[in-house]
Amino acid sequence: MDEQSSTQALASGSLVSGLSEQLMKVLPFSEMALEDVHHFVRSCSEQYFGPDEIILSPKDGVPKYLYLIRQGHVLGQRVQNGERVTFELEAGEMFSIGSVLTSRAVTTDYRAQGDCFVLCFAANQIADFGVRCPVFLDFLKNRFSIILQKSQESLRQHFAAKAAETQLQQNTLGAVCHRPPVSVTPETPLRAALQTMDERRVGSILIIEQSGRLVGILTRYDLLKRVVLAEIDLTVPVSSVMTPDLKTLNADDTVEAASMLMTHASIRHVPVLEDDRVIGLVSERDLFAFQRFSMGNVGAEIRAANDLDALKAAAEHIRQYARNLLSQGVTGHRLTGLVSYLNDALTDQIIHITMPKFEVNEADFCWLALGSEGRQEQTIATDQDNAMILADHVSDEQIKTYLLFARAVNESLDACGFPLCKGNVMASNPDYCRGEKEWLARCAAWIDGGAPQDLLDASIFFDFRAIAGNRGLTESIQKYVSAAAQRTPRFIAFLAQNAMNWTVPLTMFGGIETTKIAGQPAIDMKMQATALVVDFARIYSLAHGITERNTKERLQAVALALGDEALASEWVSSFEFLQSLRLRAQMQEPALGANPNAIALSSLSKVDQVILKAALQVMRGMHSRLKLDYVR
């Protein structure tokens, strides 16, 4: 079509106003001043393209225009990793952005689907317009991250009314420390230190050298065991009964960091340093003021629980805490990490409460989390995947006791809201409770095998992480799996071939492909989205000897190993968004079709649908790359 005859200037004031109103419903125009949107529209020409007519192709060279679809649909087609990729753009979307900004030809053929009207903004005007309206230029350069940010804001607004407010992740420890800590020197007699604690009405006292160096702490919890029962002479220096080698944090660390440290180190106080000098002491009690269901609050509740009823209450508070975080727009990676930390603590407490009943030895076993918990990606709705490694000297008779012990732990976790695994991937199953040498042999069989069940078992187990017990029992298995998988390309090829069963939910034309769930067009955000990215990251990690378990960290390490760090941002951002949608689905009450991971397409905003489609396109690229690299 001749450009002269197909182009129409947008001179009419009413037309400019109408188009401006239409554009201000989508990014970036929704964030721009009305006069800037008017200026953009007046600077555009409009072109009409008939059905199947080429709008832009690689042979056209560097694009003269930035194209914005006003009406109709545009089909994009390109060859990527040896495969033809097709996608669809609709009204409000722009194309040729990357090519215009870098002055290179497009790699995609864009053609009209049916009648199509396109606004054309001259490429040579972009720089000047960017000076006038920085929001527009920023969007062109960072559109994916900006759309993701808008989606997170929408998510936060959606759930804000359902959850309590918190300042947990926004406060630094320096802001929390309002007064200097009570302290004495190491040479201070114990009696004098105790008198100081009584006079100042504090439950702990720091031991600090004259130089200002922190060397220890004495708390009221130390007194019974170390002083009273030990019948210590009160004239001894306080340094003889203090706790040395303290865990500390800095003034610019967050309250959240203190909560995590207290939870995982099982401590109640954290000294705060600034320039290596103590400026304060944060206790669990300090953290209670920030949020009813804070990390420190729930962590303390878990450690204090000594029966199943108390643990069940703590487990519910973990889920409430997760909802609170989600309402604040916390990213999927960060939220699932925090939930996994607390679930680890809950599991550890259940194990330690259960151990005395069966007289098992903590040095002779290691409890493993598998699957999402092993990757520290546990969500709100999840079942159990766990296993146990036993020391090789544990007898067959003792193994029976350990299986009973594991069954009791599994049933307690079930009572706390983590259902028993339908596939019986649990430590109470003899197949998942083995000696160290047996586990090594089992891993070797999986890697040397290649049968469907071998691949399934390996995929579940190879995300393992130690939760409780003797962590040293995992070392030989970790080293073996990393080395053996890397030197066995046949195993990697089997995993990749199995992954070809993925079905990325995109139509032939690049639209979102849904399935009917409870009568609504929907997507299972686990089975059709996040699980596919998890598989991709695991396969490439095994192939390259990468030992990270977490999917985000695996994706970053894989991109580095492939020599293309730019991929990491694209992969991680897509996974983050998909995980956020999955968490949103789990917040729905009731769950769509009783599926906690299902989300109806109609429940997503226009922004969410745009970025979902982009994330699925990234997944399609992952699928193509996997096929090209490992499937022959």
Side-chain angles (χ1 to χ4, degrees):
M1 176 176 290
D2 179 75
E3 184 177 311
Q4 182 71 28
S5 63
S6 64
T7 303
Q8 175 185 347
L10 301 171
S12 166
S14 59
L15 181 58
V16 169
S17 296
L19 287 177
S20 296
E21 184 178 345
Q22 180 181 341
L23 290 181
M24 291 186 76
K25 296 177 181 178
V26 298
L27 288 168
F29 305 100
S30 58
E31 304 296 310
M32 292 164 52
L34 178 60
E35 57 268 26
D36 290 334
V37 179
H38 284 337
H39 181 85
F40 175 85
V41 173
R42 282 194 296 266
S43 301
C44 287
S45 58
E46 182 177 60
Q47 291 191 48
Y48 164 78
F49 294 89
D52 208 37
E53 186 176 358
I54 290 286
I55 301 172
L56 182 65
S57 72
K59 67 182 182 182
D60 294 328
V62 178
K64 298 178 182 178
Y65 299 105
L66 177 67
Y67 296 88
L68 188 151
I69 305 168
R70 183 178 75 80
Q71 183 177 318
H73 294 77
V74 172
L75 196 67
Q77 291 182 318
R78 65 173 177 266
V79 176
Q80 180 175 310
N81 294 327
E83 290 191 354
R84 179 168 290 277
V85 175
T86 302
F87 58 93
E88 186 180 70
L89 302 175
E90 55 189 48
E93 295 190 70
M94 290 187 281
F95 58 95
S96 77
I97 295 175
S99 296
V100 165
L101 293 179
T102 58
S103 298
R104 56 176 172 77
V106 297
T107 58
T108 301
D109 285 313
Y110 295 94
R111 67 176 66 238
Q113 269 194 297
D115 294 323
C116 188
F117 294 87
V118 180
L119 298 183
C120 306
F121 187 79
N124 59 17
Q125 296 187 62
I126 290 177
D128 288 339
F129 187 64
V131 174
R132 173 191 175 115
C133 182
V135 170
F136 180 77
L137 188 58
D138 186 41
F139 178 81
L140 296 187
K141 293 179 177 179
N142 305 288
R143 57 194 179 282
F144 195 86
S145 60
I146 289 174
I147 293 174
L148 179 59
Q149 180 183 351
K150 288 298 174 185
S151 173
Q152 290 170 344
E153 288 177 4
S154 174
L155 180 64
R156 180 172 62 248
Q157 293 167 3
H158 182 74
F159 288 109
K162 297 183 180 181
E165 295 182 359
T166 179
Q167 300 297 318
L168 185 62
Q169 73 282 0
Q170 298 175 356
N171 287 273
T172 63
L173 295 177
V176 174
C177 297
H178 300 299
R179 60 184 184 276
V182 179
S183 66
V184 295
T185 62
E187 302 79 22
T188 302
L190 177 58
R191 183 188 301 277
L194 295 178
Q195 286 175 337
T196 300
M197 291 175 65
D198 182 56
E199 291 169 359
R200 301 291 294 275
R201 297 184 179 181
V202 294
S204 61
I205 194 166
L206 294 179
I207 293 82
I208 302 176
E209 293 179 340
Q210 293 289 352
S211 64
R213 188 174 74 92
L214 175 67
V215 294
I217 190 173
L218 180 67
T219 73
R220 65 161 59 99
Y221 299 99
D222 301 326
L223 296 179
L224 179 62
K225 184 176 181 180
R226 297 184 188 175
V227 178
V228 179
L229 295 180
E231 298 182 348
I232 293 293
D233 185 346
L234 297 184
T235 63
V236 303
V238 69
S239 58
S240 64
V241 294
M242 71 181 184
T243 299
D245 303 320
L246 299 186
K247 305 285 187 182
T248 64
L249 289 171
N250 293 317
D252 56 356
D253 285 321
T254 63
V255 172
E256 181 182 89
S259 299
M260 281 189 176
L261 182 59
M262 289 181 190
T263 297
H264 283 276
S266 296
I267 57 179
R268 295 177 173 84
H269 304 82
V270 177
V272 181
L273 307 182
E274 188 170 57
D275 298 327
D276 295 325
R277 297 185 68 85
V278 181
I279 64 166
L281 182 69
V282 175
S283 69
E284 282 183 333
R285 182 177 297 177
D286 296 324
L287 302 183
F288 280 100
F290 287 94
Q291 183 190 13
R292 183 184 174 197
F293 297 122
S294 69
M295 172 72 76
N297 192 336
V298 179
E301 182 181 11
I302 291 170
R303 289 197 302 274
N306 55 17
D307 58 38
L308 186 57
D309 286 340
L311 287 165
K312 287 163 65 175
E316 178 53 39
H317 293 164
I318 293 175
R319 288 184 277 274
Q320 180 61 55
Y321 175 59
R323 293 185 181 96
N324 291 351
L325 291 178
L326 189 60
S327 74
Q328 301 157 39
V330 171
T331 63
H333 171 74
R334 186 159 166 268
L335 191 151
T336 55
L338 294 173
V339 170
S340 295
Y341 274 126
L342 290 172
N343 287 345
D344 284 359
L346 183 78
T347 302
D348 182 71
Q349 188 70 0
I350 288 174
I351 288 170
H352 280 88
I353 287 176
T354 309
M355 281 173 55
K357 301 174 185 177
F358 295 88
E359 299 181 349
V360 295
N361 187 344
E362 191 170 7
D364 289 342
F365 77 90
C366 182
W367 188 276
L368 304 179
L370 311 180
S372 61
E373 177 70 354
R375 296 188 304 274
Q376 293 182 299
E377 294 165 2
Q378 202 158 30
T379 55
I380 298 169
T382 184
D383 61 2
Q384 295 184 51
D385 285 315
N386 45 58
M388 193 154 57
I389 303 173
L390 302 178
D392 286 329
H393 63 258
V394 173
S395 68
D396 290 344
E397 194 62 33
Q398 289 174 314
I399 290 175
K400 295 178 183 178
T401 300
Y402 276 99
L403 286 170
L404 292 174
F405 160 68
R407 185 65 189 178
V409 173
N410 287 150
E411 289 176 349
S412 293
L413 285 168
D414 180 46
C416 287
F418 303 95
L420 299 174
C421 177
K422 294 179 181 178
N424 203 20
V425 181
M426 295 183 294
S428 54
N429 178 351
D431 283 343
Y432 286 89
C433 180
R434 299 170 178 267
E436 189 175 359
K437 290 181 180 177
E438 278 192 83
W439 271 119
L440 284 168
R442 186 66 172 147
C443 290
W446 285 334
I447 292 173
D448 293 338
Q453 190 60 44
D454 291 331
L455 299 177
L456 177 61
D457 291 342
S459 294
I460 295 172
F461 185 80
F462 286 176
D463 289 342
F464 73 85
R465 184 169 56 84
I467 295 293
N470 183 358
R471 286 165 166 77
L473 293 173
T474 67
E475 292 177 3
S476 60
I477 299 173
Q478 286 176 325
K479 291 177 181 177
Y480 175 79
V481 169
S482 178
Q486 191 175 10
R487 67 170 179 259
T488 313
R490 176 174 172 270
F491 173 66
I492 302 299
F494 277 136
L495 287 175
Q497 183 64 55
N498 192 56
M500 289 302 103
N501 294 325
W502 291 359
T503 302
V504 179
L506 287 171
T507 66
M508 182 175 66
F509 297 120
I512 300 172
E513 185 170 45
T514 59
T515 54
K516 284 291 184 70
I517 300 177
Q520 296 190 56
I523 293 179
D524 185 318
M525 294 307 303
K526 178 182 179 181
M527 301 309 298
Q528 294 180 283
T530 59
L532 313 188
V533 182
V534 167
D535 275 355
F536 174 88
R538 182 191 300 112
I539 292 168
Y540 274 94
S541 293
L542 289 170
H544 289 271
I546 293 167
T547 57
E548 277 83 356
R549 294 288 189 268
N550 180 263
T551 299
K552 177 181 178 180
E553 293 169 2
R554 279 175 168 172
L555 291 172
Q556 291 169 331
V558 168
L560 184 62
L562 295 176
D564 192 348
E565 294 183 59
L567 285 172
S569 176
E570 185 178 81
W571 289 346
V572 169
S573 295
S574 298
F575 180 63
E576 277 280 291
F577 179 73
L578 297 173
Q579 191 78 309
S580 294
L581 286 189
R582 183 183 173 197
L583 288 164
R584 185 189 303 191
Q586 294 182 0
M587 292 284 286
Q588 295 176 152
E589 294 180 0
L592 184 64
N595 180 347
N597 297 300
I599 193 161
L601 196 62
S602 61
S603 71
L604 301 181
S605 67
K606 175 67 175 179
V607 169
D608 285 335
Q609 291 189 37
V610 168
I611 197 169
L612 174 58
K613 190 160 58 172
L616 295 177
Q617 290 286 356
V618 171
M619 282 175 52
R620 178 180 275 178
M622 290 177 168
H623 188 272
S624 298
R625 182 168 199 138
L626 195 61
K627 181 177 181 180
L628 185 67
D629 286 350
Y630 297 115
V631 180
R632 300 289 183 265

PDB file of all heavy atoms in Angstrom, residues 86 119 275 287 309 448 469 491 627:
ATOM      1  N   THR A  86       4.801 -17.208  17.038  1.00  0.00           N
ATOM      2  CA  THR A  86       3.712 -16.332  16.632  1.00  0.00           C
ATOM      3  C   THR A  86       3.059 -15.723  17.859  1.00  0.00           C
ATOM      4  O   THR A  86       2.858 -16.406  18.866  1.00  0.00           O
ATOM      5  CB  THR A  86       2.650 -17.111  15.835  1.00  0.00           C
ATOM      6  OG1 THR A  86       3.272 -17.716  14.700  1.00  0.00           O
ATOM      7  CG2 THR A  86       1.535 -16.197  15.365  1.00  0.00           C
ATOM      8  N   LEU A 119      -1.616   4.050  14.837  1.00  0.00           N
ATOM      9  CA  LEU A 119      -1.032   5.376  14.994  1.00  0.00           C
ATOM     10  C   LEU A 119       0.478   5.278  14.811  1.00  0.00           C
ATOM     11  O   LEU A 119       1.109   4.378  15.363  1.00  0.00           O
ATOM     12  CB  LEU A 119      -1.346   5.953  16.376  1.00  0.00           C
ATOM     13  CG  LEU A 119      -2.815   6.185  16.729  1.00  0.00           C
ATOM     14  CD1 LEU A 119      -2.934   6.831  18.102  1.00  0.00           C
ATOM     15  CD2 LEU A 119      -3.506   7.038  15.673  1.00  0.00           C
ATOM     16  N   ASP A 275      29.372   1.210  62.699  1.00  0.00           N
ATOM     17  CA  ASP A 275      30.836   1.417  62.677  1.00  0.00           C
ATOM     18  C   ASP A 275      31.513   0.557  63.745  1.00  0.00           C
ATOM     19  O   ASP A 275      32.410   1.002  64.466  1.00  0.00           O
ATOM     20  CB  ASP A 275      31.185   2.881  62.887  1.00  0.00           C
ATOM     21  CG  ASP A 275      30.638   3.772  61.776  1.00  0.00           C
ATOM     22  OD1 ASP A 275      30.567   3.293  60.628  1.00  0.00           O
ATOM     23  OD2 ASP A 275      30.278   4.929  62.065  1.00  0.00           O
ATOM     24  N   LEU A 287       9.956  -6.324  68.658  1.00  0.00           N
ATOM     25  CA  LEU A 287       9.366  -6.625  67.357  1.00  0.00           C
ATOM     26  C   LEU A 287       7.849  -6.783  67.420  1.00  0.00           C
ATOM     27  O   LEU A 287       7.167  -6.630  66.419  1.00  0.00           O
ATOM     28  CB  LEU A 287       9.989  -7.904  66.774  1.00  0.00           C
ATOM     29  CG  LEU A 287      11.511  -7.869  66.597  1.00  0.00           C
ATOM     30  CD1 LEU A 287      11.994  -9.160  65.945  1.00  0.00           C
ATOM     31  CD2 LEU A 287      11.934  -6.687  65.762  1.00  0.00           C
ATOM     32  N   ASP A 309      -1.620 -28.413  69.648  1.00  0.00           N
ATOM     33  CA  ASP A 309      -2.591 -27.321  69.546  1.00  0.00           C
ATOM     34  C   ASP A 309      -1.890 -25.979  69.359  1.00  0.00           C
ATOM     35  O   ASP A 309      -2.325 -25.144  68.555  1.00  0.00           O
ATOM     36  CB  ASP A 309      -3.485 -27.294  70.786  1.00  0.00           C
ATOM     37  CG  ASP A 309      -4.508 -28.420  70.798  1.00  0.00           C
ATOM     38  OD1 ASP A 309      -4.775 -28.975  69.713  1.00  0.00           O
ATOM     39  OD2 ASP A 309      -5.023 -28.755  71.884  1.00  0.00           O
ATOM     40  N   ASP A 448      21.322 -42.977  36.208  1.00  0.00           N
ATOM     41  CA  ASP A 448      21.680 -43.967  35.185  1.00  0.00           C
ATOM     42  C   ASP A 448      20.455 -44.556  34.507  1.00  0.00           C
ATOM     43  O   ASP A 448      20.567 -45.199  33.456  1.00  0.00           O
ATOM     44  CB  ASP A 448      22.495 -45.109  35.818  1.00  0.00           C
ATOM     45  CG  ASP A 448      23.859 -44.635  36.294  1.00  0.00           C
ATOM     46  OD1 ASP A 448      24.329 -43.608  35.779  1.00  0.00           O
ATOM     47  OD2 ASP A 448      24.431 -45.279  37.188  1.00  0.00           O
ATOM     48  N   GLY A 469      18.197 -32.054  62.312  1.00  0.00           N
ATOM     49  CA  GLY A 469      19.045 -33.225  62.494  1.00  0.00           C
ATOM     50  C   GLY A 469      20.481 -32.963  62.069  1.00  0.00           C
ATOM     51  O   GLY A 469      20.958 -31.824  62.054  1.00  0.00           O
ATOM     52  N   PHE A 491      21.163 -38.381  31.003  1.00  0.00           N
ATOM     53  CA  PHE A 491      20.157 -38.085  32.022  1.00  0.00           C
ATOM     54  C   PHE A 491      19.537 -36.711  31.787  1.00  0.00           C
ATOM     55  O   PHE A 491      18.314 -36.546  31.863  1.00  0.00           O
ATOM     56  CB  PHE A 491      20.814 -38.154  33.408  1.00  0.00           C
ATOM     57  CG  PHE A 491      19.913 -37.707  34.538  1.00  0.00           C
ATOM     58  CD1 PHE A 491      18.774 -38.419  34.876  1.00  0.00           C
ATOM     59  CD2 PHE A 491      20.222 -36.571  35.274  1.00  0.00           C
ATOM     60  CE1 PHE A 491      17.949 -38.012  35.916  1.00  0.00           C
ATOM     61  CE2 PHE A 491      19.410 -36.162  36.323  1.00  0.00           C
ATOM     62  CZ  PHE A 491      18.276 -36.886  36.641  1.00  0.00           C
ATOM     63  N   LYS A 627      14.622 -27.390  24.029  1.00  0.00           N
ATOM     64  CA  LYS A 627      14.503 -28.340  22.926  1.00  0.00           C
ATOM     65  C   LYS A 627      15.727 -28.277  22.025  1.00  0.00           C
ATOM     66  O   LYS A 627      16.280 -29.316  21.612  1.00  0.00           O
ATOM     67  CB  LYS A 627      13.239 -28.047  22.124  1.00  0.00           C
ATOM     68  CG  LYS A 627      12.995 -29.003  20.965  1.00  0.00           C
ATOM     69  CD  LYS A 627      11.680 -28.681  20.274  1.00  0.00           C
ATOM     70  CE  LYS A 627      11.417 -29.651  19.122  1.00  0.00           C
ATOM     71  NZ  LYS A 627      10.129 -29.339  18.442  1.00  0.00           N
TER      72      LYS A 627
END
